[in-house]
Amino acid sequence: MTESGGAPSPALGRAGLIGLGVLAAGAAAGVAVERLTLGRARRRAREELDAVAPFGSLRGRPRRVPGEDGTELYVEVDEPASPLPGAPTVVFCHGYCLNQDSFHFQRAALRGGLRLVWWDQRSHGRSERSRSYLAGRPASIDQLGGDLSAVLDAVVPEGPVVLVGHSMGGMTVMALADQRPELFGPPERGGRVAGVALIGTSAGDWNSVDLGLSSTGTKVWRRVGPGVVKLLGSQVGLVEATRRVGADVTAVFYRRFSFGDAGREVDPGVVRFAEQLLDGTPIDVVAEFYPVFAAHEKASALAALRDLPVLVLAGTEDLLTPASHSESIARALPQAELELLPRTGHLVQLERPDEVDRALARLLVRTGLPLPDGVRELARP
């Protein structure tokens, strides 16, 4: 009922407000319960995946190798069951915010027949936090190239080598080629690198990458992004706590920048494994290395690879190191095999492992070096 003029009575108005308040509180509580329930379900699903997934479980003989500043680099070596004289040692260099376990599928496919070397780049995985960075010296791709040089000298002092680099690891290989081009020459002149795989990487001009943003968003990020990352890196405790609380949000972010459209078909355990790799990198390490990509310019270093068999591989939906950058690398290398995998993102070795395994096997065959039958079989179409 209403009073004359159609205005609600004070009693009914108060009752209505109370009723609306009760309904609003009930709705809010319902949303909170739903979010809590879904959150618990997601946590249970993650725990179940973590309990049964074998990804990242393969281990080799551990080594510690000092970098030029004394930083201890963690290295693992898989020795073949029956060493084949003259066969290459394959050295894998992982990407930004990852570790050696990001090559899980390649390790499973190649181990047992070849000598394989895996290492965690400084500040990543099981390697020590960069001593020079903690002392005030900025991180650089050139320093990573020096680390790779130290790993080769310590763990692969002789014999042919095939280098495999994904993302920042590919940049590391280019830095080594810039610093020690003689390693990439013919054997009669002391050359030891018999082949190179550059996976989802770039030789420079990273500032042109739009990260899948609109033109306006790209301009804004280029202006404020480096400062934001630096600020986050200075608030480690707060950011790490926020990452744990906002796991569902970061999972969406990780999927967008890790996988392409084909990622919808990836084993949920693999997706969860990628989350673990990325979550395992502290935010101050993210901030430590983010500035190095804008400074990375190694197109001229590719000249050292011109006479080698080279694999250049990328996903067509890679938002971090777009396929156009791989195409530019391939144009500079006459001996390169370019393979672009459709509907595939940045973590191509996890998203499309079978295709990556076969491409690496083909590269190994192209070196002309002795290889176990299993590798040659893998290389067949």
Side-chain angles (χ1 to χ4, degrees), residues 31-105:
V31 170
V33 169
E34 180 183 13
R35 290 185 65 183
L36 181 61
T37 302
L38 288 174
R40 286 174 177 165
R42 291 190 185 101
R43 283 196 297 275
R44 282 197 301 270
R46 291 191 182 106
E47 289 167 359
E48 289 171 1
L49 289 171
D50 295 348
V52 300
F55 311 115
S57 61
L58 302 178
R59 300 266 65 89
R61 178 168 54 86
R63 291 279 302 272
R64 294 279 178 179
V65 175
E68 52 87 18
D69 63 346
T71 298
E72 288 195 349
L73 306 170
Y74 180 77
V75 181
E76 289 186 1
V77 181
D78 289 347
E79 299 287 357
S82 301
L84 190 62
T89 296
V90 189
V91 180
F92 289 78
C93 310
H94 70 79
Y96 178 50
C97 297
L98 300 170
N99 63 45
Q100 60 179 268
D101 293 340
S102 61
F103 290 113
H104 172 84
F105 291 106

Side-chain angles (χ1 to χ4, degrees), residues 8-27:
S9 68
L12 286 175
R14 286 193 297 273
L17 289 173
I18 292 170
L20 286 173
V22 170
L23 287 173

Side-chain angles (χ1 to χ4, degrees), residues 198-201 311-318 321-331 337-345 348 352 355-356 359 362:
L198 300 173
I199 302 173
T201 192
L311 167 67
V312 182
L313 186 147
T316 60
E317 295 179 7
D318 189 333
T321 51
S324 59
H325 285 234
S326 288
E327 291 173 319
S328 295
I329 292 171
R331 284 194 295 270
E337 173 193 344
L338 174 64
E339 183 160 354
L340 302 180
L341 300 181
R343 301 174 58 225
T344 305
V348 57
R352 302 286 288 276
E355 289 90 336
V356 173
R362 289 197 303 271

